[in-house]
Amino acid sequence: MKSHTRVAVIGGGVVGCSVLYHLTKLGWNDVMLIERSELTSGSTWHAAGGFHTLNADTNMAALQGYTIRLYKELEEITGMSCGLHHVGGVTLASTPERMDFLKAERAKHRYMGLDTEIVTPEEIKKLSPITNVEGVLGALYDPLDGHLDPSGTTHAYAKAAKMAGAEIILRNPVLELNPQADGSWEIVTKEGTVIAEHVVNAGGLWAREVGEMAGVYMPLHPMEHQYLVTEDAPEVYELDRELPHVMDPEGESYLRQEGRGLCIGFYEQSCDAWAERGTPMDFGHELLNNNLDRIGDSLEFAFKRFPVLEKVGVKTVINGPFTFAPDGNPLVGPVPGLRNYWSACGVMAGFSQGGGVGLTLAEWMIEGEPSRDVFAMDVARFGDWITPGYTRAKVRENYQRRFSVSYPNEELPVARPHQTTPAYGVWKDQRAVFGAAYGMEAVNYFAPEGEPLEETPSFRRSNAFDAVGAECRAVREAVGINEVHNFGKYLVTGSGARAWLDVIMAGSIPKPGRLALNPMLSHKGKLIGDFTVSCLSEQEFMVTASFGMQAAHLRWFETNLPSGGSVEIENISTKRIGFQIAGPKARELLSRVAFEDVSAENFKFLDIKKTDIGTCRAFIQRVSYTGDLGYEIYVRAEEQVALYNILAEAGKDLGLKPFGMRAMMSLRLEKSFGSWAREFRPDYMPVETGMDRFTSYNKAADFIGKAAALKEKEEGASRKLCTFVVDAIDADVWGDEPIWHEGKVVGFVTSGGYAHYTQKSVANGFLPTEIALDGVEVEIEVLGVMLKARMFTETLFDPKAERMLG
């Protein structure tokens, strides 16, 4: 074993070997893999080996498609067989809700280049004669689905990497990880010590332990998972072709052909977590004790769906552990708070996602950023608020929901509330229906008396529709109040604060007493943040952005901080909170409680003020995401309830009403305001999204991403973010629906919904620049139905911004 290496990958499962291969594929050859036992010694060796493209996140689905297509490339490079069986896959729907889900997924695939289709019960029977289609409404068929040989595939990755110069060290447990002053890592192993510029945690079942060696908690947990292999069945081996995979969500099962018999696995409700106190270091090629009682109900249902199972015996029972993150997606990328320590773990579906994970991490390490938005699997989507108890509870919930419909408006109940603001009780007393983001509770809407305190999960308009409409009208006709804790907030101070912000942000940095909207760009000019920069003084700024991006944004800030200590950053996201008030009577309300003059002449749009509000010392910004006259009022968290009581008392006769995030997102549609992770994300650049109007291309500072942004501006964008009114009936767009023009898919929806005050169904989305003209008519596919839509350029509400600016 050599004493120095550029990258050391810890873990020899399919994911670790994929990372190793992709590092060499992208040009880094001084790389090594260290495995405690043999390749595939964790979850890989006992995996069922299935692969599929279906994923609610479009970029994750695309990476799964990449993974599946990669296997033939590996075979060609190495001359080894991956044991590929491209038999296709059928996902059954037994309810209208499941059919809506599959139709929505099929629509996404139209612009992703995935060749899937909705099939009828009769067509299902032709594809899979052993499937009982009684009660089945239809299915999604994907010809890419299939299965492979887990061991052969892993060794193919390893051989391809070694052919390109990588080193693989087996039977050599890692004992210590020690960070060095220059950012490298001392890796102490059983066979000696190696210094690595970068460390990749691909530890699989042992990823928690590899994280602990570096002083970090990796939010994942292993779950027991069982599948059965049957004896030979004539109904199987007498067919002239191999059966497709069949996913039966109602039965919590997946089934495929295994030789002359069948393989069927279950994601049962009565599931068991494994290794709650840590994975034993001597665990490896063992299996866990069988527990058929746990899958009894699922197995009984499977006998009805696949009657052939009742006629054949069980040859093998596999019960082994797999790791899951709280939301089921992998944990990938640079670990916040550590230099040159990377994560590639929590990959539950290794043979669907392993190739995409390897590619993504190699791009990130070598090129500085991935080629697409991968926040869905970024390790930074979980912050330091997450705990092992939270992780374990959410992992169990995710396992149980493996085959559940993923609704766009669904809020999952387990491990909630986890974090709350002081105002939580105030809202709860007013019948708030909460959602959660980044571990924090936030009000979605307020349920009227007699209505349930939960929203019905649906692809169509839910039971919250009327309540949200009433909240929108309260804002537009009087004044509404909404909590503003759901922003990530950072205090940037020091003699170098302004100069640093001028480099980290692409827009102008405001003068004292003013704020400015600012894109934050990657080195390739991609949008990685949508910020408000507020100048409190020449050496003190508050910058705000998406609440859920805290760990990711802090990671970026810390990576790009200047040396010398001239800039300091403090995360004050939960320390400085408060409320926004918005609507035509917002100024009157503020004037009743503020110690300073807040008249239109003295408090202009984008101004900021420090003033007392009643007994509270407050900081106020004149800006509102509702697109109305509005103000954001911030106080210390300890004063939040007092601030609410002051505002509520002063606003009684003004019609002050609380509103939640559902109303907020409806109101912003009337102004064609974009939203982070929807209209603004690392897949997009300033000109195509309209963020060029906030980009200071001519400022003296060489801001990050400037060259790429200037190139986009000079060359022009090939597509443009547009807004449409949709002829919807009972289902509005959510995002990712294809946009059709003259019989072809030409774009896709980024987000949308119902704009309650103007009573229009609205969609935002991309069109090719040459057809993105005011009034152009298109069609948007919503749940399998083609709906007429018309592009508009003048906002639906207050097109001259007289309310917002007045």
Side-chain angles (χ1 to χ4, degrees), residues 382-420:
F382 301 108
D384 57 10
W385 52 269
I386 199 165
T387 65
Y390 180 97
T391 296
R392 191 178 304 162
K394 297 302 281 187
V395 162
R396 179 182 173 86
E397 178 186 52
N398 180 268
Y399 184 97
Q400 292 172 324
R401 290 180 47 80
R402 182 77 177 95
F403 285 129
S404 296
V405 175
S406 296
Y407 295 100
N409 67 331
E410 190 167 24
E411 299 287 349
L412 303 181
V414 171
R416 292 181 51 204
H418 182 60
Q419 290 188 330
T420 63

Short mmCIF file of all heavy atoms in Angstrom, two decimals, residues 382-420:
data_model
loop_
_atom_site.label_atom_id
_atom_site.label_comp_id
_atom_site.label_asym_id
_atom_site.label_seq_id
_atom_site.Cartn_x
_atom_site.Cartn_y
_atom_site.Cartn_z
N PHE A 382 -29.51 17.90 5.08
CA PHE A 382 -29.74 17.74 6.52
C PHE A 382 -28.69 18.55 7.26
O PHE A 382 -27.49 18.45 6.97
CB PHE A 382 -29.64 16.27 6.93
CG PHE A 382 -30.62 15.38 6.22
CD1 PHE A 382 -30.20 14.49 5.26
CD2 PHE A 382 -31.98 15.47 6.50
CE1 PHE A 382 -31.11 13.67 4.60
CE2 PHE A 382 -32.89 14.66 5.84
CZ PHE A 382 -32.46 13.76 4.89
N GLY A 383 -29.12 19.35 8.21
CA GLY A 383 -28.18 20.19 8.94
C GLY A 383 -27.81 19.59 10.28
O GLY A 383 -28.10 18.41 10.57
N ASP A 384 -27.21 20.41 11.13
CA ASP A 384 -26.78 19.92 12.43
C ASP A 384 -27.94 19.74 13.41
O ASP A 384 -27.74 19.34 14.54
CB ASP A 384 -25.71 20.83 13.03
CG ASP A 384 -26.18 22.27 13.17
OD1 ASP A 384 -27.39 22.55 12.99
OD2 ASP A 384 -25.32 23.14 13.46
N TRP A 385 -29.15 20.00 12.95
CA TRP A 385 -30.33 19.80 13.79
C TRP A 385 -30.75 18.33 13.83
O TRP A 385 -31.51 17.93 14.71
CB TRP A 385 -31.52 20.62 13.24
CG TRP A 385 -31.78 20.38 11.78
CD1 TRP A 385 -31.26 21.06 10.74
CD2 TRP A 385 -32.61 19.35 11.21
NE1 TRP A 385 -31.71 20.53 9.54
CE2 TRP A 385 -32.54 19.49 9.80
CE3 TRP A 385 -33.40 18.34 11.74
CZ2 TRP A 385 -33.23 18.65 8.93
CZ3 TRP A 385 -34.09 17.51 10.88
CH2 TRP A 385 -34.01 17.67 9.49
N ILE A 386 -30.27 17.53 12.91
CA ILE A 386 -30.76 16.15 12.82
C ILE A 386 -30.09 15.28 13.88
O ILE A 386 -28.92 15.47 14.23
CB ILE A 386 -30.54 15.58 11.41
CG1 ILE A 386 -31.45 14.36 11.18
CG2 ILE A 386 -29.09 15.26 11.13
CD1 ILE A 386 -31.58 13.96 9.73
N THR A 387 -30.84 14.33 14.42
CA THR A 387 -30.37 13.46 15.49
C THR A 387 -30.55 12.00 15.09
O THR A 387 -31.35 11.69 14.21
CB THR A 387 -31.15 13.71 16.79
OG1 THR A 387 -32.53 13.33 16.57
CG2 THR A 387 -31.10 15.19 17.19
N PRO A 388 -29.84 11.10 15.76
CA PRO A 388 -30.04 9.67 15.47
C PRO A 388 -31.49 9.21 15.69
O PRO A 388 -32.01 8.40 14.92
CB PRO A 388 -29.08 8.97 16.43
CG PRO A 388 -27.99 9.97 16.64
CD PRO A 388 -28.67 11.30 16.65
N GLY A 389 -32.13 9.74 16.73
CA GLY A 389 -33.52 9.36 16.97
C GLY A 389 -34.45 9.82 15.86
O GLY A 389 -35.36 9.08 15.44
N TYR A 390 -34.24 11.04 15.39
CA TYR A 390 -35.03 11.55 14.26
C TYR A 390 -34.78 10.69 13.03
O TYR A 390 -35.71 10.29 12.33
CB TYR A 390 -34.65 13.00 14.01
CG TYR A 390 -35.40 13.65 12.85
CD1 TYR A 390 -36.52 14.43 13.08
CD2 TYR A 390 -34.94 13.52 11.54
CE1 TYR A 390 -37.20 15.03 12.03
CE2 TYR A 390 -35.61 14.12 10.48
CZ TYR A 390 -36.74 14.87 10.73
OH TYR A 390 -37.40 15.47 9.68
N THR A 391 -33.50 10.41 12.78
CA THR A 391 -33.14 9.61 11.60
C THR A 391 -33.82 8.25 11.64
O THR A 391 -34.42 7.81 10.65
CB THR A 391 -31.62 9.43 11.54
OG1 THR A 391 -31.01 10.71 11.36
CG2 THR A 391 -31.23 8.52 10.38
N ARG A 392 -33.73 7.58 12.77
CA ARG A 392 -34.27 6.23 12.87
C ARG A 392 -35.78 6.22 12.63
O ARG A 392 -36.31 5.37 11.92
CB ARG A 392 -33.95 5.64 14.25
CG ARG A 392 -34.24 4.15 14.38
CD ARG A 392 -33.84 3.67 15.77
NE ARG A 392 -32.45 3.98 16.06
CZ ARG A 392 -31.94 4.00 17.30
NH1 ARG A 392 -32.70 3.72 18.33
NH2 ARG A 392 -30.66 4.29 17.48
N ALA A 393 -36.47 7.21 13.21
CA ALA A 393 -37.92 7.28 13.04
C ALA A 393 -38.30 7.55 11.59
O ALA A 393 -39.23 6.94 11.04
CB ALA A 393 -38.50 8.37 13.96
N LYS A 394 -37.60 8.48 10.93
CA LYS A 394 -37.91 8.81 9.54
C LYS A 394 -37.50 7.69 8.58
O LYS A 394 -38.16 7.47 7.56
CB LYS A 394 -37.24 10.13 9.14
CG LYS A 394 -37.71 11.33 9.93
CD LYS A 394 -39.20 11.59 9.82
CE LYS A 394 -39.63 12.26 8.57
NZ LYS A 394 -41.05 12.64 8.56
N VAL A 395 -36.42 6.99 8.90
CA VAL A 395 -36.01 5.86 8.06
C VAL A 395 -37.09 4.78 8.08
O VAL A 395 -37.44 4.21 7.04
CB VAL A 395 -34.65 5.30 8.52
CG1 VAL A 395 -34.42 3.90 7.96
CG2 VAL A 395 -33.53 6.23 8.08
N ARG A 396 -37.61 4.49 9.26
CA ARG A 396 -38.68 3.50 9.36
C ARG A 396 -39.90 3.96 8.56
O ARG A 396 -40.51 3.18 7.82
CB ARG A 396 -39.06 3.29 10.83
CG ARG A 396 -40.19 2.29 11.03
CD ARG A 396 -40.55 2.16 12.51
NE ARG A 396 -41.73 1.33 12.69
CZ ARG A 396 -41.71 0.01 12.79
NH1 ARG A 396 -40.56 -0.64 12.73
NH2 ARG A 396 -42.84 -0.67 12.94
N GLU A 397 -40.25 5.23 8.68
CA GLU A 397 -41.38 5.77 7.92
C GLU A 397 -41.14 5.65 6.43
O GLU A 397 -42.03 5.25 5.67
CB GLU A 397 -41.59 7.24 8.30
CG GLU A 397 -42.72 7.93 7.54
CD GLU A 397 -42.77 9.41 7.84
OE1 GLU A 397 -41.72 10.09 7.72
OE2 GLU A 397 -43.85 9.91 8.20
N ASN A 398 -39.92 5.97 6.00
CA ASN A 398 -39.60 5.90 4.58
C ASN A 398 -39.66 4.48 4.07
O ASN A 398 -40.15 4.21 2.96
CB ASN A 398 -38.23 6.51 4.33
CG ASN A 398 -37.84 6.48 2.86
OD1 ASN A 398 -37.20 5.54 2.40
ND2 ASN A 398 -38.26 7.49 2.13
N TYR A 399 -39.13 3.54 4.86
CA TYR A 399 -39.18 2.12 4.47
C TYR A 399 -40.63 1.68 4.27
O TYR A 399 -40.97 1.02 3.28
CB TYR A 399 -38.51 1.27 5.55
CG TYR A 399 -38.41 -0.20 5.21
CD1 TYR A 399 -37.24 -0.72 4.68
CD2 TYR A 399 -39.48 -1.08 5.42
CE1 TYR A 399 -37.13 -2.07 4.36
CE2 TYR A 399 -39.38 -2.42 5.11
CZ TYR A 399 -38.21 -2.92 4.58
OH TYR A 399 -38.12 -4.25 4.27
N GLN A 400 -41.49 2.05 5.20
CA GLN A 400 -42.90 1.65 5.12
C GLN A 400 -43.60 2.30 3.92
O GLN A 400 -44.59 1.76 3.42
CB GLN A 400 -43.63 2.03 6.41
CG GLN A 400 -43.17 1.22 7.61
CD GLN A 400 -43.76 1.76 8.91
OE1 GLN A 400 -43.91 2.97 9.08
NE2 GLN A 400 -44.08 0.87 9.82
N ARG A 401 -43.08 3.44 3.48
CA ARG A 401 -43.69 4.18 2.38
C ARG A 401 -42.97 3.95 1.05
O ARG A 401 -43.17 4.69 0.09
CB ARG A 401 -43.68 5.68 2.69
CG ARG A 401 -44.62 6.09 3.81
CD ARG A 401 -44.54 7.60 4.03
NE ARG A 401 -44.60 8.31 2.78
CZ ARG A 401 -45.73 8.57 2.10
NH1 ARG A 401 -46.89 8.18 2.60
NH2 ARG A 401 -45.69 9.22 0.96
N ARG A 402 -42.17 2.91 0.99
CA ARG A 402 -41.37 2.66 -0.20
C ARG A 402 -42.22 2.60 -1.46
O ARG A 402 -41.81 3.04 -2.53
CB ARG A 402 -40.61 1.33 -0.03
CG ARG A 402 -39.70 0.97 -1.18
CD ARG A 402 -38.41 1.79 -1.14
NE ARG A 402 -37.50 1.40 -2.19
CZ ARG A 402 -37.40 1.99 -3.37
NH1 ARG A 402 -38.15 3.02 -3.66
NH2 ARG A 402 -36.54 1.56 -4.27
N PHE A 403 -43.42 2.05 -1.35
CA PHE A 403 -44.31 1.94 -2.50
C PHE A 403 -45.53 2.85 -2.38
O PHE A 403 -46.51 2.67 -3.10
CB PHE A 403 -44.77 0.49 -2.68
CG PHE A 403 -43.71 -0.41 -3.26
CD1 PHE A 403 -43.39 -1.61 -2.66
CD2 PHE A 403 -43.04 -0.05 -4.41
CE1 PHE A 403 -42.42 -2.45 -3.19
CE2 PHE A 403 -42.07 -0.87 -4.96
CZ PHE A 403 -41.76 -2.08 -4.35
N SER A 404 -45.47 3.82 -1.50
CA SER A 404 -46.60 4.74 -1.35
C SER A 404 -46.58 5.80 -2.45
O SER A 404 -45.51 6.14 -2.97
CB SER A 404 -46.57 5.42 0.02
OG SER A 404 -46.72 4.49 1.06
N VAL A 405 -47.74 6.34 -2.76
CA VAL A 405 -47.82 7.46 -3.69
C VAL A 405 -47.18 8.68 -3.05
O VAL A 405 -47.42 8.98 -1.89
CB VAL A 405 -49.29 7.76 -4.04
CG1 VAL A 405 -49.39 9.01 -4.91
CG2 VAL A 405 -49.93 6.58 -4.75
N SER A 406 -46.34 9.37 -3.80
CA SER A 406 -45.71 10.60 -3.31
C SER A 406 -46.52 11.78 -3.83
O SER A 406 -46.44 12.13 -5.02
CB SER A 406 -44.26 10.70 -3.79
OG SER A 406 -43.48 9.65 -3.26
N TYR A 407 -47.31 12.37 -2.95
CA TYR A 407 -48.14 13.51 -3.34
C TYR A 407 -47.35 14.81 -3.18
O TYR A 407 -46.60 14.97 -2.21
CB TYR A 407 -49.40 13.58 -2.48
CG TYR A 407 -50.34 12.43 -2.67
CD1 TYR A 407 -50.37 11.38 -1.76
CD2 TYR A 407 -51.20 12.39 -3.75
CE1 TYR A 407 -51.23 10.32 -1.92
CE2 TYR A 407 -52.08 11.33 -3.93
CZ TYR A 407 -52.08 10.30 -3.01
OH TYR A 407 -52.95 9.24 -3.18
N PRO A 408 -47.54 15.76 -4.08
CA PRO A 408 -46.76 17.00 -3.99
C PRO A 408 -47.12 17.87 -2.80
O PRO A 408 -46.33 18.71 -2.40
CB PRO A 408 -47.09 17.71 -5.32
CG PRO A 408 -48.37 17.10 -5.78
CD PRO A 408 -48.37 15.70 -5.29
N ASN A 409 -48.31 17.68 -2.22
CA ASN A 409 -48.72 18.50 -1.07
C ASN A 409 -48.70 17.72 0.24
O ASN A 409 -49.25 18.18 1.25
CB ASN A 409 -50.13 19.05 -1.30
CG ASN A 409 -51.20 17.96 -1.30
OD1 ASN A 409 -50.91 16.81 -1.65
ND2 ASN A 409 -52.41 18.30 -0.89
N GLU A 410 -48.05 16.55 0.23
CA GLU A 410 -48.12 15.68 1.40
C GLU A 410 -47.10 16.08 2.46
O GLU A 410 -45.96 16.40 2.15
CB GLU A 410 -47.88 14.23 0.97
CG GLU A 410 -48.16 13.23 2.06
CD GLU A 410 -48.20 11.81 1.53
OE1 GLU A 410 -47.60 11.56 0.47
OE2 GLU A 410 -48.85 10.96 2.15
N GLU A 411 -47.52 16.06 3.72
CA GLU A 411 -46.66 16.32 4.86
C GLU A 411 -46.62 15.05 5.71
O GLU A 411 -47.64 14.61 6.23
CB GLU A 411 -47.18 17.49 5.69
CG GLU A 411 -47.26 18.80 4.92
CD GLU A 411 -45.89 19.42 4.66
OE1 GLU A 411 -44.90 18.94 5.25
OE2 GLU A 411 -45.81 20.40 3.88
N LEU A 412 -45.46 14.45 5.84
CA LEU A 412 -45.34 13.18 6.56
C LEU A 412 -45.28 13.42 8.07
O LEU A 412 -44.61 14.35 8.53
CB LEU A 412 -44.11 12.42 6.08
CG LEU A 412 -44.08 12.14 4.57
CD1 LEU A 412 -42.83 11.36 4.19
CD2 LEU A 412 -45.33 11.38 4.14
N PRO A 413 -45.94 12.58 8.87
CA PRO A 413 -46.18 12.91 10.28
C PRO A 413 -45.10 12.49 11.27
O PRO A 413 -45.03 13.04 12.37
CB PRO A 413 -47.47 12.14 10.58
CG PRO A 413 -47.41 10.94 9.67
CD PRO A 413 -46.74 11.42 8.42
N VAL A 414 -44.27 11.51 10.93
CA VAL A 414 -43.36 10.93 11.92
C VAL A 414 -42.29 11.94 12.34
O VAL A 414 -41.81 12.73 11.54
CB VAL A 414 -42.73 9.65 11.35
CG1 VAL A 414 -41.62 9.13 12.25
CG2 VAL A 414 -43.79 8.57 11.18
N ALA A 415 -41.93 11.88 13.64
CA ALA A 415 -40.88 12.73 14.23
C ALA A 415 -41.21 14.21 14.13
O ALA A 415 -40.33 15.06 13.98
CB ALA A 415 -39.53 12.43 13.60
N ARG A 416 -42.48 14.55 14.28
CA ARG A 416 -42.92 15.94 14.26
C ARG A 416 -43.88 16.19 15.42
O ARG A 416 -44.61 15.30 15.82
CB ARG A 416 -43.62 16.25 12.94
CG ARG A 416 -42.69 16.25 11.73
CD ARG A 416 -43.45 16.58 10.47
NE ARG A 416 -44.23 17.79 10.63
CZ ARG A 416 -45.32 18.07 9.89
NH1 ARG A 416 -45.75 17.22 8.98
NH2 ARG A 416 -45.99 19.19 10.09
N PRO A 417 -43.83 17.44 15.94
CA PRO A 417 -42.89 18.50 15.57
C PRO A 417 -41.51 18.23 16.15
O PRO A 417 -41.38 17.73 17.27
CB PRO A 417 -43.50 19.75 16.20
CG PRO A 417 -44.27 19.24 17.38
CD PRO A 417 -44.80 17.89 16.97
N HIS A 418 -40.49 18.57 15.37
CA HIS A 418 -39.11 18.40 15.83
C HIS A 418 -38.55 19.72 16.32
O HIS A 418 -38.03 19.82 17.42
CB HIS A 418 -38.26 17.83 14.69
CG HIS A 418 -36.84 17.56 15.07
ND1 HIS A 418 -36.50 16.68 16.06
CD2 HIS A 418 -35.66 18.08 14.60
CE1 HIS A 418 -35.18 16.65 16.19
NE2 HIS A 418 -34.65 17.49 15.32
N GLN A 419 -38.66 20.75 15.48
CA GLN A 419 -38.26 22.10 15.89
C GLN A 419 -39.43 23.04 15.65
O GLN A 419 -40.15 22.93 14.66
CB GLN A 419 -37.06 22.59 15.08
CG GLN A 419 -35.76 21.86 15.42
CD GLN A 419 -34.57 22.51 14.74
OE1 GLN A 419 -34.68 23.09 13.65
NE2 GLN A 419 -33.41 22.44 15.38
N THR A 420 -39.61 23.99 16.56
CA THR A 420 -40.68 24.98 16.44
C THR A 420 -40.15 26.35 16.85
O THR A 420 -39.16 26.46 17.57
CB THR A 420 -41.88 24.63 17.34
OG1 THR A 420 -41.46 24.64 18.71
CG2 THR A 420 -42.46 23.27 17.00
#
